[in-house]
Amino acid sequence: MNRETLLESSATSSSVSLSKPIEIYVFVDPLCMNSWALQPLLRRLQVEYERYFTLKIVLHTSLAKTNSCCIVNMDDAKACKKNHPAFPSIALKAAEFQGKRAAFRFLSKLFEYTYLKKRNVLSFSVLVEIAESLGLDVDEFILDFSSHHVLRSLQVDLHLANEMEVEDAPSFVFFNENIEDEGLKVNGLHSYDIYEQILEEMVGHEITPDAPPTLDELFMRFDSLATNEIAKIYNIPEKSAERELKKQLLLQKIERLPLSNMTLWRKRIN
């Protein structure tokens, strides 16, 4: 798992930013519940420590054993008959062609549709609906969805997983500034303090979290967040977070999305 080999063999790999000493590859499966559960930890890590690292999301989906059991509602009334277990991964790559932030937002919305709204994300029409909801260029998204460039991008992700000896999703691989050093691989889902500790060890000295952004800034960055997720970012009790969110709701700055087993909040769309 030497990064020098990776940089020689992968056209999409990039060198570590001179201003950020750590490079983190996060391998996820769009249809894996643990990958969804990782999302709040990853967002908090970005909010608090992003000045120390650059981040690359890499798909790790095994089509031979695709986790279709995660899809609860196969009778989705708005889903078309064009279904395939590979479609979510292909769609995510098509979104990535419209920018890194578009890919992050698409992945987040994909998780929301799968686990909270219980929609059939194996359906092409549902994936197009997600692209529309995010304000992506839908015509471009549909063209990219069926292009060989997207398939090539998926192949690159599979190649990275193979080179880094990643077998499971989610997994982290940390690299430091020394290109000859082996990467540090962390399989599975762990508590937030574990990722903090590893990042500090990789940096080589004590790291300090950045002050959290304002709620306005937070909702500009992330499309939707849960109450407990916001409470952890601001290190306040969940009830306090809910009070602040309700104030923003009364000011019509955000809106509440009550779902079956949790509440999401997002910036109000006028």
Side-chain angles (χ1 to χ4, degrees):
M1 196 166 56
N2 187 299
R3 187 164 36 140
E4 194 167 13
T5 304
L6 293 173
L7 293 173
E8 290 171 355
S9 59
S10 173
T12 62
S13 293
S14 60
S15 59
V16 177
S17 168
L18 293 176
S19 60
K20 297 183 179 183
I22 305 301
E23 190 170 32
I24 303 177
Y25 289 76
V26 181
F27 293 81
V28 299
D29 181 345
L31 301 180
C32 168
M33 188 169 286
N34 278 344
S35 291
W36 172 51
L38 176 71
Q39 182 176 248
L41 300 178
L42 191 56
R43 285 172 165 177
R44 185 178 170 192
L45 202 64
Q46 289 177 281
V47 167
E48 295 189 338
Y49 297 111
E50 196 171 33
R51 73 181 187 276
Y52 294 105
F53 65 85
T54 56
L55 178 68
K56 179 173 176 60
I57 299 293
V58 187
L59 288 178
H60 188 273
T61 306
S62 173
L63 299 183
K65 50 181 179 180
T66 303
N67 211 350
S68 300
C69 60
C70 292
I71 309 303
V72 177
N73 183 11
M74 295 303 293
D75 298 319
D76 190 341
K78 294 183 179 179
C80 71
K81 293 182 179 180
K82 294 167 70 174
N83 288 264
H84 196 280
F87 278 3
S89 296
I90 294 171
L92 184 56
K93 282 299 175 182
E96 189 175 60
F97 276 38
Q98 298 189 37
K100 184 177 178 180
R101 184 169 185 271
F104 278 125
R105 294 171 64 217
F106 195 93
L107 180 62
S108 176
K109 189 66 71 174
L110 195 60
F111 286 143
E112 179 185 319
Y113 267 55
T114 305
Y115 298 107
L116 300 177
K117 293 185 175 180
K118 312 300 183 185
R119 299 293 303 280
N120 176 16
V121 296
L122 302 187
S123 163
F124 176 73
S125 61
V126 172
L127 296 167
V128 172
E129 181 184 325
I130 292 174
E132 289 175 338
S133 73
L134 294 171
L136 300 186
D137 185 324
V138 176
D139 291 337
E140 183 180 338
F141 174 83
I142 292 172
L143 284 173
D144 288 333
F145 188 90
S146 58
S147 75
H148 70 277
H149 300 294
V150 161
L151 295 179
R152 169 60 181 159
S153 184
L154 278 172
Q155 289 172 349
V156 169
D157 280 15
L158 293 174
H159 175 74
L160 285 173
N162 183 60
E163 286 289 328
M164 295 188 190
E165 301 173 354
V166 172
E167 297 178 355
D168 304 303
S171 290
F172 278 61
V173 181
F174 294 79
F175 290 103
N176 62 21
E177 293 176 292
N178 188 346
I179 197 171
E180 296 181 354
D181 283 357
E182 293 285 324
L184 175 61
K185 182 172 60 176
V186 183
N187 293 322
L189 182 65
H190 303 277
S191 62
Y192 183 73
D193 60 299
I194 296 295
Y195 299 111
E196 276 186 303
Q197 182 182 346
I198 293 170
L199 183 60
E200 184 166 272
E201 290 175 359
M202 294 294 291
V203 170
H205 57 77
E206 183 179 356
I207 59 175
T208 55
D210 287 334
T214 65
L215 271 174
D216 284 344
E217 292 169 335
L218 193 67
F219 281 106
M220 285 289 290
R221 180 167 189 179
F222 304 115
D223 288 299
S224 59
L225 299 107
T227 308
N228 64 342
E229 187 176 0
I230 292 168
K232 288 177 181 177
I233 287 174
Y234 291 101
N235 195 26
I236 58 176
E238 196 167 325
K239 288 185 177 180
S240 299
E242 189 168 6
R243 281 197 300 270
E244 291 302 315
L245 289 163
K246 286 180 178 178
K247 289 178 187 177
Q248 297 292 308
L249 184 67
L250 289 172
L251 293 171
Q252 297 188 335
K253 288 187 173 183
I254 62 173
E255 56 187 0
R256 179 166 42 194
L257 304 173
L259 298 167
S260 57
N261 55 355
M262 70 187 303
T263 296
L264 291 180
W265 307 83
R266 72 179 179 191
K267 183 181 177 182
R268 185 178 178 85
I269 302 171
N270 297 320

